[in-house]
Amino acid sequence: SYVLTQPPSVSVAPGQTASISCGGNKIGTKSVHWYQQKPGQAPVLVMYYDSDRPSGIPERFSGSNSGNTATLTISRVEAGDEADYYCQVWDSSSDHRVFGGGTKLTVL
Amino acid sequence: EVQLVESGGGLVKPGGSLRLSCAASGFTLSASRMSWVRQAPGKGLEWVSTIFTTGHIYYTDSLKGRFAISRDNAKNSLYLQMNSLRADDTGLYYCVKDMVAATRERDYWGQGTLVTVSS
């Protein structure tokens, strides 16, 4: 089965840039979606189809996907960005939706 | 406005059954790809099942035939029948209207219904 690998945690100071990686075999050939989840809340889509931002998501959020790694980048990080972030793909070879293990973003 | 409201969660003993419901409004459920996603306490997101508009259905491998997704178009509702429940099925179950690639429409999530499997 297809596996997505994320770092368990990323820490960044306010105003700096956070990069969260999502590794998978030839992930660059798939569409990657990213979710933000704050405690006690349902996940919120912050990036889809690799680099498209849903309406209402700040331009500080950007995404890229190539080779074996997809990346969610958050520029000028704010305290309110502190959350768990999950990458997700649809694996067409198995017709399964796959989530990464999640990355806890801590704003120092 | 798209709304998804889950219900049917609760406390059940190991080996028991539950039927989760998801009442949809603001869109036609039969014309949408729908999924269930769960989250164990303190853990990450786990995909459970997806039903396509064609009726094709897919499940995560670990369920081994214990769960069944279905929909009632007349009631605009999605269901998840859960049988032979185990302790590791405990978690918050989310109903999801999946994103639409052709129109770049985002996905929508309900607030979840909590399932607790314990003796």
Side-chain angles (χ1 to χ4, degrees):
Chain A
S1 60
Y2 195 76
V3 176
L4 294 175
T5 302
Q6 297 182 237
S9 63
V10 168
S11 298
V12 63
Q16 298 304 302
T17 297
S19 295
I20 300 173
S21 64
C22 176
N25 185 38
K26 298 180 181 178
I27 194 173
T29 63
K30 303 181 186 300
S31 291
V32 180
H33 315 298
W34 291 90
Y35 294 90
Q36 176 194 71
Q37 187 180 34
K38 297 181 178 179
Q41 298 182 18
V44 173
L45 185 69
V46 294
M47 195 65 56
Y48 59 169
Y49 303 104
D50 299 340
S51 58
D52 286 350
R53 272 180 295 103
S55 174
I57 302 302
E59 292 183 6
R60 300 183 297 103
F61 287 76
S62 62
S64 64
N65 184 21
S66 178
N68 293 318
T69 305
T71 303
L72 177 70
T73 301
I74 309 171
S75 304
R76 303 182 299 282
V77 167
E78 302 173 356
D81 298 330
E82 191 164 278
D84 294 325
Y85 291 83
Y86 297 90
C87 59
Q88 181 252 303
V89 302
W90 180 268
D91 178 32
S92 56
S93 65
S94 62
D95 283 317
H96 279 34
R97 185 173 185 164
V98 181
F99 285 97
T103 297
K104 181 175 182 59
L105 175 66
T106 299
V107 181
L108 300 171
Chain B
E1 180 191 6
V2 172
Q3 286 195 331
L4 299 165
V5 180
E6 302 96 334
S7 61
L11 175 64
V12 62
K13 289 181 169 51
S17 297
L18 275 178
R19 188 192 192 209
L20 306 184
S21 299
C22 172
S25 59
F27 70 100
T28 302
L29 188 138
S30 62
S32 305
R33 191 174 82 177
M34 300 294 296
S35 296
W36 288 98
V37 174
R38 67 183 180 183
Q39 187 169 33
K43 303 296 184 183
L45 301 173
E46 180 186 22
W47 171 72
V48 174
S49 179
T50 295
I51 182 168
F52 282 69
T53 57
T54 57
H56 285 90
I57 289 171
Y58 301 96
Y59 298 98
T60 190
D61 294 342
S62 63
L63 292 180
K64 297 183 180 177
R66 298 184 297 117
F67 290 10
I69 190 172
S70 63
R71 64 190 178 205
D72 185 328
N73 296 337
K75 295 183 178 180
N76 218 40
S77 293
L78 182 73
Y79 304 100
L80 186 68
Q81 177 66 44
M82 309 164 65
N83 300 325
S84 302
L85 283 162
R86 310 183 309 213
D88 62 359
D89 293 317
T90 293
L92 193 58
Y93 284 71
Y94 293 102
C95 170
V96 183
K97 177 186 183 299
D98 288 347
M99 60 190 75
V100 181
T103 60
R104 286 296 198 263
E105 181 186 1
R106 52 158 285 199
D107 62 1
Y108 295 86
W109 295 57
Q111 285 303 305
T113 185
L114 183 62
V115 172
T116 304
V117 183
S118 175
S119 55

